[in-house]
Amino acid sequence: MDLQKPDLAQPAGPAPAGHAPAGPAPAVADLRASDADRDRVADILREALAEGRLSADEHAERVEGVLSAKTVGELEVFIRDLPAAHQRRTAPAWTPAPNRPTDAIPPDPDDNVVAVFSAAVRKGRWRAGRRIHAYAIFGSVEIDLSEAIFEYRQVVIKAFSLCGSVEVRVPENISLRGTGVGVLGDFQVDTLDSAEPDAPVVYVDGWAVLGSVDAKPKRGKLVADILDRVQRAVDRKVDKSLRKHLDR
């Protein structure tokens, strides 16, 4: 027996405290299900109900099982007979907003916000036009679009600041672009990209002379119209399916 080498036939000693012995990795089906996993399965069931693949009773029974499922494998049981569960999931195509407006923007402004040795504010629930002009001359202008109604997908804000300030605030779920010039002043636009394909795009342009122009998202504010549009589409599908079952 070679005393210089350990006897590999002998079992290893106990693992150090705090270190569990390595074992085989668990199968995916045995992993604990997350809330995102349950939401994914619930979405598939909701689509199956809207398409008529499941009755209202079957949908309710399966959703109840999804809420009580503990592992990924238990979740898959409820959708394994549905085509959507076997389709390859791919990320939706996403393209950033263009740096310049592509829609027809009128040369004349829909709204003028002017502050000369004073302050002017546009905020609250108001309708944003396609073109807004802001003039701050030894004054301050605030344009708050966080609760505005966007009737157009592209909105242009021309901001002119002379020894004054122009502040633009937008919701977090839209896109924001800026091209402006600061002359002994500060022209700053925080670029923002929305994941929503139908989200509005706000373009801030102009100049700041011995003044400032600042545009950025307002934290916690979202365009309710985008969210409402998605919810209405889901509600229409569910209502159509329920009416179909009631008419039988």
Side-chain angles (χ1 to χ4, degrees), residues 20-28 30-31:
V28 175
D30 296 330
L31 295 176

Side-chain angles (χ1 to χ4, degrees), residues 179-228:
T179 54
V181 178
V183 181
L184 299 178
D186 184 25
F187 195 106
Q188 182 174 346
V189 177
D190 291 351
T191 300
L192 181 66
D193 282 304
S194 174
E196 300 285 348
D198 297 329
V201 186
V202 175
Y203 297 90
V204 181
D205 195 2
W207 44 259
V209 179
L210 296 171
S212 66
V213 174
D214 180 62
K216 61 185 178 182
K218 192 170 185 178
R219 299 304 177 191
K221 293 294 185 178
L222 303 175
V223 177
D225 303 81
I226 299 177
L227 304 179
D228 291 343

